[in-house]
Amino acid sequence: MQLPPLVQAFVLHFGEMGSRWGINRTVGQIYALLFVSPQGLNAEEIVDKLGLSRSNVSMGLKELQAWSLVRLQHRPGDRRDYFSTPEDIWQIVRTLVEERKKREIDPTLTLLRELLMEAPSDDDERYAQQRLTEMRDLFELFAGWYGDVRRLDTQRLVQLLTLGAQVQKVLEMKDRFLPGRAARGKASIG
Amino acid sequence: MQLPPLVQAFVLHFGEMGSRWGINRTVGQIYALLFVSPQGLNAEEIVDKLGLSRSNVSMGLKELQAWSLVRLQHRPGDRRDYFSTPEDIWQIVRTLVEERKKREIDPTLTLLRELLMEAPSDDDERYAQQRLTEMRDLFELFAGWYGDVRRLDTQRLVQLLTLGAQVQKVLEMKDRFLPGRAARGKASIG
DNA sequence: TCGTCATTTCAGAAATTACCGAAATGACGA
DNA sequence: TCGTCATTTCGGTAATTTCTGAAATGACGA
């Protein structure tokens, strides 16, 4: 791996963090490298720069494509695939949010809905179902939020994320001037 | 494992999802069981219900404690530890958000800040640093948002999450009536 | 059609992670 | 101080995941 120290540190860190983010080290490294590369890279360039095996890079790129995290380009007179990350980092955020929803939220939401169709047979099951109801409501709320994030344009998304603690003030105003809009979430508000 | 089918299905699902959420199967199962149990359980009860080894349950509980995801109680005249999850599901959300920030955001933010202290030595490094700047700003924004989520009380948190796509309308109003508040985030808005 | 180059697949090796039983530690009452 | 019970630690093993080299596939121009 003969990379500038800056890039090398970033790539190695991303590899290590990969395990916490649900991707493996190789995939994390490939992604990090593509992220800081001015032009797209082909598989062999990635092999050279990261010192990984050809097939491993192929697998990693496949996984990144499954996550829709890399773009594929071609150059005239060159048969090879060149990979790069989207220029717009917010597009990456939307993609990640969408994929995480698909993988981490939706399956559980589906299961919770199914389990809550059954009638409880005793008090313990009744308690369990009540807990599952709380969790389903929570997951519905998350699913809705993730969906919103995916749909919002960049400016509004930044605003939504920056809003944070100001939410109360802003919402008081909303209630004053836009009354009567029911909240979407059903989650218990304690 | 002799559990009601409802609970069993939930426990098994949580175990499988565990790997996507960054915890292992055992830990996921233990957590799911505690979540739907009306009373706290001691280690041996968990062993019996889930069919795991004593030591594995001990490790799992230790990890859940490291995540602050379980509470420890005692009963008079009983030396054993009884474990349960917080009643308030929103407290669980805050805990998860805080821990995820600590594990998935903060380390990368620290590294990015460090890397951006160095002066670039050529054009490629200049490009890389520009990309890292975008990413640092993004992570700063996330860190701020996570912090807000942790601090907000439940009602406001639900409002913030429900707000979603309404953000534009609400923010137009805010700008009209509360002008001049600078946004915290520096992330490029393309 | 053939030869070349790029990519993917695949079976096994290597590495990592999860798991268990046994032993050690620690807390408590007698 | 003991003896008992609960919990944790530890060494080894099992299971899973990641990685590799070799072979297969596919695309393209001649």
Side-chain angles (χ1 to χ4, degrees):
Chain A
M1 196 198 288
Q2 68 287 25
L3 292 167
L6 175 83
V7 174
Q8 173 157 341
F10 179 64
V11 162
L12 292 178
H13 176 84
F14 242 65
E16 296 311 316
M17 293 302 283
S19 55
R20 300 191 187 180
W21 295 335
I23 57 177
N24 68 39
R25 194 172 61 243
T26 306
V27 173
Q29 290 186 1
I30 295 173
Y31 186 77
L33 176 64
L34 293 177
F35 183 79
V36 296
S37 294
Q39 289 91 28
L41 301 177
N42 64 44
E44 189 150 347
E45 289 169 331
I46 298 171
V47 167
D48 290 345
K49 285 174 193 274
L50 298 182
L52 302 169
S53 75
R54 188 71 188 68
S55 49
N56 204 6
V57 169
S58 175
M59 297 293 217
L61 288 170
K62 205 172 145 196
E63 185 169 345
L64 285 171
Q65 284 176 287
W67 276 83
S68 310
L69 278 173
V70 293
R71 292 192 193 300
L72 180 54
Q73 302 142 349
H74 284 102
R75 298 184 184 176
D78 188 337
R79 193 192 299 170
R80 291 168 293 183
D81 296 339
Y82 283 80
F83 296 90
S84 61
T85 62
E87 287 282 315
D88 179 6
I89 198 170
W90 287 98
Q91 194 47 51
I92 299 172
V93 171
R94 285 190 199 91
T95 300
L96 277 173
V97 161
E98 180 169 4
E99 293 293 331
R100 265 180 115 135
K101 173 174 182 291
K102 207 186 301 175
R103 290 157 205 253
E104 300 181 3
I105 305 277
D106 291 348
T108 300
L109 196 44
T110 301
L111 179 83
L112 288 171
R113 285 173 180 157
E114 282 171 18
L115 293 181
L116 287 168
M117 308 271 284
E118 313 279 329
S121 59
D122 60 24
D123 273 356
D124 279 1
E125 280 212 7
R126 217 180 316 281
Y127 179 83
Q129 277 205 341
Q130 184 238 309
R131 288 294 263 173
L132 296 193
T133 303
E134 291 174 40
M135 185 167 285
R136 184 205 55 199
D137 292 348
L138 184 67
F139 271 70
E140 299 270 14
L141 193 58
F142 286 158
W145 190 84
Y146 275 60
D148 288 339
V149 166
R150 194 171 55 73
R151 272 189 302 276
L152 284 171
D153 66 40
T154 296
Q155 193 187 355
R156 287 175 210 164
L157 180 49
V158 174
Q159 289 177 323
L160 180 64
L161 290 171
T162 312
L163 187 61
Q166 290 187 61
V167 70
Q168 192 196 18
K169 202 162 292 188
V170 169
L171 282 167
E172 279 170 6
M173 233 171 2
K174 162 179 165 286
D175 291 339
R176 190 127 37 100
F177 295 105
L178 286 176
R181 315 240 165 177
R184 176 182 49 222
K186 287 177 287 188
S188 151
I189 56 170
Chain B
M1 197 197 291
Q2 68 287 25
L3 292 168
L6 176 83
V7 174
Q8 172 156 342
F10 179 64
V11 162
L12 292 178
H13 176 84
F14 243 65
E16 295 311 316
M17 292 302 283
S19 54
R20 300 192 187 180
W21 294 335
I23 57 177
N24 68 38
R25 194 172 60 245
T26 305
V27 173
Q29 290 187 2
I30 294 173
Y31 186 77
L33 176 64
L34 293 177
F35 183 78
V36 296
S37 294
Q39 289 91 28
L41 301 177
N42 63 44
E44 188 152 348
E45 289 169 331
I46 297 171
V47 166
D48 291 344
K49 285 176 195 273
L50 297 182
L52 303 168
S53 75
R54 174 165 292 288
S55 50
N56 204 5
V57 169
S58 174
M59 295 297 216
L61 288 169
K62 205 172 145 195
E63 187 169 345
L64 285 170
Q65 284 176 287
W67 277 84
S68 310
L69 278 174
V70 293
R71 290 193 193 299
L72 180 54
Q73 302 142 350
H74 284 102
R75 298 185 184 175
D78 188 338
R79 193 190 299 171
R80 293 168 291 182
D81 296 339
Y82 283 79
F83 296 90
S84 61
T85 62
E87 287 282 315
D88 180 6
I89 198 168
W90 287 97
Q91 194 47 52
I92 299 173
V93 171
R94 285 191 199 90
T95 300
L96 277 173
V97 161
E98 181 168 4
E99 293 293 330
R100 264 179 117 135
K101 173 173 182 292
K102 206 184 303 173
R103 291 157 204 255
E104 301 180 3
I105 305 279
D106 291 349
T108 300
L109 196 43
T110 301
L111 178 84
L112 289 171
R113 285 172 180 157
E114 282 171 17
L115 293 181
L116 287 167
M117 308 272 284
E118 314 279 330
S121 60
D122 60 25
D123 273 355
D124 279 1
E125 281 213 5
R126 217 180 316 281
Y127 178 84
Q129 278 206 340
Q130 183 238 308
R131 289 294 264 172
L132 296 192
T133 303
E134 292 174 39
M135 185 167 283
R136 185 205 53 198
D137 292 348
L138 184 67
F139 272 70
E140 298 271 14
L141 193 58
F142 286 158
W145 190 84
Y146 275 60
D148 288 338
V149 166
R150 194 171 55 73
R151 272 188 302 276
L152 284 172
D153 67 41
T154 297
Q155 193 186 356
R156 287 174 209 165
L157 180 49
V158 174
Q159 289 176 325
L160 180 63
L161 290 173
T162 313
L163 187 62
Q166 291 187 60
V167 69
Q168 191 196 20
K169 203 163 290 187
V170 169
L171 282 167
E172 280 171 3
M173 231 174 358
K174 161 179 167 288
D175 290 341
R176 191 131 31 104
F177 296 105
L178 285 177
R181 315 240 166 178
R184 177 182 47 221
K186 287 177 288 188
S188 152
I189 55 170

